[in-house]
Amino acid sequence: MHGQISLAEKASTSEAFSIVSDQNIATIYYDKNEADLVATAATILADDIERVTNKKPEVLADLPSSNGILIGTYNNLLIQQLAREGKLEIKDLENSWERFTIQRVTKAFEGVSELLVIVGSDRRGTAYGAFELSKAIGVSPWYWWADVPVKKQKQLLISNLPYHSKEPSVKYRGIFLNDEDWGLKPWASKLMDPEINDIGPNTYAKVCELLLRLKANMLAPAMHEVTGAFFKYPENKKVADRYGIMVTTSHAEPLLYNNTTEWHHDKNGAWDYVNNKNGVLEVLDSRVEEAALYENIYTVGMRGIHDRGMSEVPEGYTKANVLEQVIDEERKILSKHIKKPADVIPQIFVPYKEVLDIYRSGMELPEDVTLVWPDDNFGYIKKLSDTKEAKRKGGAGVYYHISYLGEPNDYLWLNTTPPALMYEEMYKAYQSGADKYWLLNVGDIKPGELGMQFFLDLAWDIDSISYDNLPTYNAKLLATIFGEEYTNEFKHIYNTYFHLGFERKPEYMGWDWRWNSIAAKEQIVDTEFSFENYNEAEGRIQAYTSIANQTEAIYKQLPKVQKSAFYHLVYYPVVGAYLENVKMLTAQKNRWYAMQGRAGTNKLVEEVKQYDQRLSEITSHYNNLENGKWKGIMTAPERVPEVQLPPLSTIKLPEPSEMGIFVPNADTSSDFYILPQFDVNTKREYAFEIYNKGSKPLKWNAETSQDYIKLSQSKGETADQNRIIVSINWRKLPNKKQLQEQIRLSSGDAEKTIFVSIKNSKIDKPNRLLYVEDNGVVSIDPAQFSRKSEKNGSKVSVIEELGYTGQSIQLGSIVDKGWANTATEYDFYTDKAGYVTVYTYALPVFGKDDNTGTKYGVQIDDSRVNWESTASAEYSFNWKQNVIRNATINTSKIWIKEPGKHTLRLIGGDPGMVIQKAIIDFGGLRESYMGPDPTLIKP
């Protein structure tokens, strides 16, 4: 690929090609004998030029008779003539898949001094070339689906030619429209295809155009009970073909047949191959006969109705050999109607859920069928090709989710799958040979636009994205739409958004992860984010508040023409996630305050109701963008907590004021208070709260036993509460290793004491990173290691923007050979000894070849290595817990024989393990969701 085509401000004819000028509008030419997609691309390109310039080129199915744009495929006779005459370089397109080139040709033909020629190796390659030009002149792939505005231009000059694309990294790339019940279906039924009251050809035309603009080539249509099957409406398949989009189907739809709505038990009998073979094969035969004229990718095999498991088989059969018979019959049907050998017809087999166990039991699959490995519905791919599978003719692929309906709970509202997680999983799949077929479950498309674009960008050119540029991917994309001046803000907003959503999805803030029926309500309980320890819940509220405020500020600054697009791509996801989180956490705080009798309890009730109302308002605003264009698209299932008001408590306060004290890590039911220990090595500040338990204002005073203890406030009067920051003036401390001091609080006749412990034993400044034990805990960010070990070509990779600390380490690559070739080491210092518990937070990934997870080692100094694993059987309690919190938390009990300096080692076992956090507990670990921040001293 040479450079990147772009608009030129000014250029002579020798430097650039003029599409539109004051004197000229280039005509677009194509050959009427080409595939329909070439004409479609030419027509849409003309529309795009008009969007930018208000001038529409003429589109002619004829030979070029004047300067203009020629669009065609490699085999086009006119293009072949230009190539033979040495005017056009297209050699790389021969026998290629979906490649294209854009070149300026001078003296093309008699009377034609200049042409801009767009050539594709095939029909889709040609369309991709046309839409690459559209993007260069300023038409975003999301101009319609996210209302991204087009910047108007008076002239269009194209420079940086020629442009040659590579072949796509993944052959088949596309999306699955799924769980459309609450957004896509009601919206499309009323606004796109009202004549059929369903998702139909008008909707699919817009979907297919979007896919082409994103360089995708296949679509798995919506298939729930509420939606008519794709083939129910004859125009659907014609629309897909007109746009060159191949139709594929999910794991549950063999040979493009949607048994969810097309199979009727009363008419067809049981959906059971063993007991109703003829009935099953009859409908499959009919479907392939109908679809055979078009380019499709056929799912082979058979599950139950919709997303149910395969039917039980009679004695004497196994599910594996029944599936083998099913596939054999299906391939006969394909050959019969497509008139080609079965081994050249694109087919996939998706070992989804229970089918993976059937496949593993010894099932034989034809060599040419593509194995499509599914993730576990939560972003972790369940299996990758082993050595034998990697050599199969049909190759391998992946079925991946950024939206899901099912156990342990749904996430259908917002896309919070971090790009870094998607890249880590998809890249290792690609490395192990999964380069044939990538399908992304996008739910309703909205608001998953950024996730969809990232997935398809990666599938098109996997080398264009790496761990190095991942942190800026979304920021740069958004900056091209809204302005380069916002790049850094977009980086902070979206990296924080994905980080917080990775810790806990907004849909899971009700903390009830039973999968409920559609009509059921979430049984909302307190989260595990702690208001008492490590400033965890408050820190989450503050982080969300920060990015919401940034988002609001940018929104106000933007011109009106950009506001709708910003609402789609940034405002609604970020502010929506913020409102859901602060609503649920503020409700939790309200219930917690009520137990303490705080005067501030009742005020929080109104705050929660305001957050809930605001969430309804921004959702309504979304649905009314662009004069109601999106009416009905942004809704959520009733059981998702964002549509519920959480439990709230009100209390009756006594009239006289009464002083209450809250100290982090203290028992709030007693009058004994001690702040976390202050340590000269970490120099942290801590806080306590003085709160009122009566309806009259509370007057209070505070004094310290020594002047080197600093309070942010020493007296006050409050109707509800004051938060006091406590710090130490380290330069004034006496030369003692340990100090015990006090803060005395008084209000009227009431007096309380907070004890202050200060550790003044300074550790020699390290020459490497050093962690310290602080309040009984060493907390480690694995990406901040003291040293690393890499052998036999294996590498330790730091993955930015993934994990609880904001970065993680990957111990080796999935393609590494051998065991334990990588390790990272973390020096730490403690004044304690004895047994410690090491908690390691790993990604809940699966192993390459089986269901045993990925193993890694944990060691302190020369202790026995504790080999831990991420293994959990799918749908087990542990698996559900792990995917909900995006972590497998393992515990290793290790003996430390004496105080002093020690080293924790994390040892790569199965290559590709990702560790996101480690905690060494000396007995001081408090209840929380993620534990304390890293206790790190840098050189």
Side-chain angles (χ1 to χ4, degrees), residues 876-892:
S876 67
F877 178 84
N878 283 342
W879 171 81
K880 292 177 182 179
Q881 184 171 255
N882 292 347
V883 296
I884 282 286
R885 65 177 300 150
N886 281 309
T888 296
I889 304 175
N890 289 315
T891 57
S892 309

Side-chain angles (χ1 to χ4, degrees), residues 262-522:
E262 296 187 282
W263 181 270
H264 302 287
H265 190 277
D266 292 344
K267 173 185 175 182
N268 304 110
W271 178 256
D272 184 328
Y273 179 80
V274 175
N275 296 307
N276 189 15
K277 176 180 177 179
N278 290 337
V280 170
L281 294 181
E282 181 180 352
V283 297
L284 298 183
D285 185 280
S286 177
R287 175 49 39 78
V288 175
E289 181 180 20
E290 176 185 6
L293 291 176
Y294 302 94
E295 194 178 6
N296 304 301
I297 302 171
Y298 295 89
T299 300
V300 297
M302 184 176 179
R303 295 187 72 218
I305 295 289
H306 195 178
D307 196 10
R308 298 188 182 95
M310 183 180 172
S311 301
E312 294 302 317
V313 297
E315 188 175 349
Y317 291 82
T318 68
K319 289 186 177 181
N321 62 43
V322 168
L323 273 182
E324 289 167 359
Q325 293 175 44
V326 169
I327 292 171
D328 183 59
E329 293 292 342
E330 289 171 339
R331 286 162 67 81
K332 290 176 183 176
I333 291 171
L334 290 172
S335 293
K336 169 185 171 184
H337 293 294
I338 300 176
K339 310 299 184 185
K340 292 181 180 179
D343 62 1
V344 299
I345 299 170
Q347 297 156 68
I348 60 169
F349 176 73
V350 189
Y352 184 74
K353 293 187 177 178
E354 82 290 341
V355 181
L356 182 56
D357 291 331
I358 299 170
Y359 170 77
R360 282 182 169 133
S361 71
M363 175 188 162
E364 293 187 7
L365 188 69
E367 278 288 305
D368 58 276
V369 175
T370 301
L371 267 168
V372 178
W373 303 121
D375 69 349
D376 62 354
N377 305 310
F378 291 84
Y380 301 98
I381 299 172
K382 293 172 61 177
K383 188 185 183 313
L384 299 172
S385 298
D386 60 26
T387 305
K388 181 180 178 182
E389 289 161 340
K391 296 177 181 177
R392 297 178 71 260
K393 176 185 173 183
V398 176
Y399 169 43
Y400 199 81
H401 290 74
I402 60 170
S403 176
Y404 180 63
L405 170 71
E407 293 186 72
N409 212 336
D410 315 326
Y411 58 103
L412 299 170
W413 180 38
L414 301 178
N415 169 37
T416 50
T417 300
L421 175 61
M422 190 187 297
Y423 178 80
E424 182 272 331
E425 288 292 293
M426 298 306 298
Y427 184 60
K428 74 181 182 185
Y430 183 85
Q431 286 179 300
S432 65
D435 61 358
K436 193 70 171 286
Y437 179 106
W438 282 17
L439 185 69
L440 180 69
N441 188 322
V442 298
D444 292 331
I445 295 180
K446 306 184 71 62
E449 297 99 333
L450 294 182
M452 178 175 164
Q453 169 131 16
F454 180 82
F455 182 89
L456 294 174
D457 282 353
L458 190 63
W460 174 256
D461 183 4
I462 201 159
D463 295 327
S464 68
I465 298 173
S466 67
Y467 285 136
D468 292 334
N469 63 19
L470 265 173
T472 60
Y473 170 85
N474 281 316
K476 288 182 176 179
L477 174 64
L478 293 168
T480 63
I481 299 172
F482 303 109
E484 300 296 328
E485 65 270 28
Y486 299 116
T487 302
N488 289 335
E489 287 181 86
F490 287 145
K491 180 181 177 183
H492 172 70
I493 288 168
Y494 253 115
N495 287 347
T496 303
Y497 168 84
F498 281 117
H499 175 79
L500 295 170
F502 177 82
E503 292 175 352
R504 192 79 176 191
K505 290 183 180 297
E507 292 91 339
Y508 302 156
M509 289 300 292
W511 233 260
D512 173 20
W513 41 275
R514 299 172 304 108
W515 186 48
N516 303 311
S517 66
I518 299 300
K521 290 282 189 178
E522 198 88 6

Side-chain angles (χ1 to χ4, degrees), residues 211-268:
L211 289 172
L212 274 184
R213 290 179 183 272
L214 293 172
K215 298 188 178 70
N217 59 15
M218 65 177 184
L219 169 68
M223 48 76 69
H224 268 209
E225 294 94 334
V226 299
T227 306
F230 183 79
F231 284 89
K232 177 179 179 180
Y233 308 109
E235 189 64 24
N236 283 347
K237 60 181 180 291
K238 297 176 184 177
V239 165
D241 186 62
R242 188 163 69 242
Y243 284 91
I245 296 299
M246 292 176 278
V247 177
T248 185
T249 49
S250 74
H251 48 85
E253 300 168 87
L255 301 194
L256 306 180
Y257 182 77
N258 182 349
N259 63 27
T260 303
T261 58
E262 296 187 282
W263 181 270
H264 302 287
H265 190 277
D266 292 344
K267 173 185 175 182
N268 304 110

Side-chain angles (χ1 to χ4, degrees), residues 15-287:
E15 296 171 328
F17 180 85
S18 174
I19 297 177
V20 174
S21 67
D22 292 337
Q23 297 79 32
N24 178 62
I25 305 173
T27 302
I28 299 176
Y29 300 95
Y30 72 94
D31 186 339
K32 62 184 178 183
N33 296 314
E34 293 263 29
D36 288 346
L37 177 55
V38 176
T40 301
T43 301
I44 296 177
L45 177 59
D47 292 339
D48 286 347
I49 293 169
E50 183 182 26
R51 288 184 179 100
V52 176
T53 65
N54 295 327
K55 297 177 180 179
K56 188 170 185 177
E58 190 176 8
V59 180
L60 299 178
D62 205 346
L63 299 176
S65 56
S66 62
N67 294 353
I69 302 172
L70 174 62
I71 298 179
T73 57
Y74 175 83
N75 292 320
N76 180 293
L77 295 179
L78 208 57
I79 286 169
Q80 285 293 325
Q81 178 185 331
L82 291 173
R84 285 194 306 271
E85 294 172 355
K87 298 175 182 177
L88 192 64
E89 178 53 60
I90 60 171
K91 184 178 179 181
D92 288 345
L93 300 183
E94 186 176 9
N95 299 319
S96 290
W97 176 260
E98 297 181 347
R99 292 183 72 172
F100 64 89
T101 182
I102 304 174
Q103 300 177 38
R104 177 175 169 269
V105 176
T106 57
K107 299 179 181 178
F109 307 106
E110 186 176 347
V112 181
S113 61
E114 186 179 39
L115 283 177
L116 185 69
V117 184
I118 302 172
V119 188
S121 59
D122 46 39
R123 61 175 182 158
R124 277 186 294 274
T126 303
Y128 297 154
F131 290 130
E132 189 72 20
L133 181 58
S134 290
K135 190 165 65 173
I137 66 174
V139 180
S140 166
W142 298 99
Y143 83 95
W144 193 88
W145 277 95
D147 299 319
V148 173
V150 174
K151 183 180 179 182
K152 296 295 183 178
Q153 306 282 350
K154 291 185 177 180
Q155 64 174 14
L156 293 179
L157 290 165
I158 301 300
S159 60
N160 293 334
L161 297 171
Y163 181 93
H164 303 284
S165 82
K166 301 192 300 184
E167 270 196 327
S169 299
V170 178
K171 186 169 186 178
Y172 302 120
R173 314 164 304 282
I175 63 168
F176 177 21
L177 301 177
N178 196 214
D179 305 316
E180 69 275 11
D181 311 40
W182 303 281
L184 194 66
K185 169 61 164 58
W187 166 77
S189 298
K190 290 180 174 60
L191 297 178
M192 296 299 292
D193 292 284
E195 66 282 356
I196 60 172
N197 192 34
D198 210 338
I199 300 174
N202 295 326
T203 308
Y204 282 121
K206 287 299 185 184
V207 173
C208 290
E209 181 189 331
L210 174 64
L211 289 172
L212 274 184
R213 290 179 183 272
L214 293 172
K215 298 188 178 70
N217 59 15
M218 65 177 184
L219 169 68
M223 48 76 69
H224 268 209
E225 294 94 334
V226 299
T227 306
F230 183 79
F231 284 89
K232 177 179 179 180
Y233 308 109
E235 189 64 24
N236 283 347
K237 60 181 180 291
K238 297 176 184 177
V239 165
D241 186 62
R242 188 163 69 242
Y243 284 91
I245 296 299
M246 292 176 278
V247 177
T248 185
T249 49
S250 74
H251 48 85
E253 300 168 87
L255 301 194
L256 306 180
Y257 182 77
N258 182 349
N259 63 27
T260 303
T261 58
E262 296 187 282
W263 181 270
H264 302 287
H265 190 277
D266 292 344
K267 173 185 175 182
N268 304 110
W271 178 256
D272 184 328
Y273 179 80
V274 175
N275 296 307
N276 189 15
K277 176 180 177 179
N278 290 337
V280 170
L281 294 181
E282 181 180 352
V283 297
L284 298 183
D285 185 280
S286 177
R287 175 49 39 78

